[in-house]
Amino acid sequence: MERRVAERLRGALGPLGLEAHAFKVGWYNAVLQPAFHLPYPDDTLAFVVLSTPSMFDKALKPFVNKERLKIIRDPVDQCISHHLSRVKEKFPDQRVDVMFDYEMLPSRKPKFLAQTAAHVSGAAYYYQRKDVKLDPWGKKKIFGVCIHPKYGGWFAIRGLLLFPDIQVPFLEQPSPVDCVSTEEKRIELLEQFNFHWQDGRYRDIIEVKERYSEEQRAYFATPPAERLRLLGLSQEAQ
């Protein structure tokens, strides 16, 4: 069942520059405190959805051209929401729950921890402070970051698709590719991500096969309120 669902998702999301990686809810819940658990049985089938560098041209720009008068908030969020809602239509006989990376619970906690989901699914390796043996940061707060084996840091985690009626007790957990394998490189990665994230150097910590275009970099480097103009949308339309 998991394979059939995965193939259907690949067919729907691949042409949009999106990837879907399967995991069991139990894998995710096992590494988190109860406050962050997903409220589903352990064997429930789920997929974490990533956007790759090609999403900008394959999904976002066509969406904006078609829906330009309906863009009322962040165009990327609306684009992803639109396409994941359409994916649900491909499973008319299944319940499909969708969670987006920007959604919060009433407690102000995120609905899911995106980087943990990417790691347990094998999609990307979540490098954290605990992955460095000789910690050089003392009492500084150090945030972790996911690195994709193909795209490095040039990708984003956009949402979850959960299939509450599909239980996959025999699904085998893949290990994420440990592509930043030396202590020195891990320290460099976490230093760049925590203290110099604006320059984006952490994204190229490994040799990548594809990165954001100049147009896409300019878009994400622009303050959100001004991004509509870059896509040819006026504030009046918003």
Side-chain angles (χ1 to χ4, degrees), residues 188-202:
E188 183 185 341
L189 170 65
L190 293 174
E191 288 267 342
Q192 288 181 359
F193 180 69
N194 280 273
F195 308 122
H196 309 284
W197 62 268
Q198 293 97 329
D199 63 25
R201 281 181 299 151
Y202 79 89

Side-chain angles (χ1 to χ4, degrees), residues 5-24:
V5 174
E7 284 173 5
R8 205 177 295 183
L9 287 177
R10 267 195 293 276
L13 298 177
L16 301 168
L18 300 172
E19 291 182 355
H21 296 263
F23 68 97
K24 288 202 301 188

Side-chain angles (χ1 to χ4, degrees), residues 21-35:
H21 296 263
F23 68 97
K24 288 202 301 188
V25 165
W27 303 345
Y28 174 93
N29 287 350
V31 296
L32 292 171
Q33 296 170 341

Side-chain angles (χ1 to χ4, degrees), residues 146-160:
C146 272
I147 296 295
H148 191 287
K150 183 176 177 183
Y151 305 116
W154 301 101
F155 78 104
I157 303 158
R158 299 296 182 185
L160 294 187

Side-chain angles (χ1 to χ4, degrees), residues 17 27 31 39 48 70 74 79 96 107 110 114 146 148-150 155 157-158 174 179 183 212 214:
W27 303 345
V31 296
V48 62
K70 298 179 190 170
D74 183 88
C79 172
V96 185
S107 63
C146 272
H148 191 287
K150 183 176 177 183
F155 78 104
I157 303 158
R158 299 296 182 185
C179 46
E183 177 93 348
Y212 292 174
E214 288 299 325

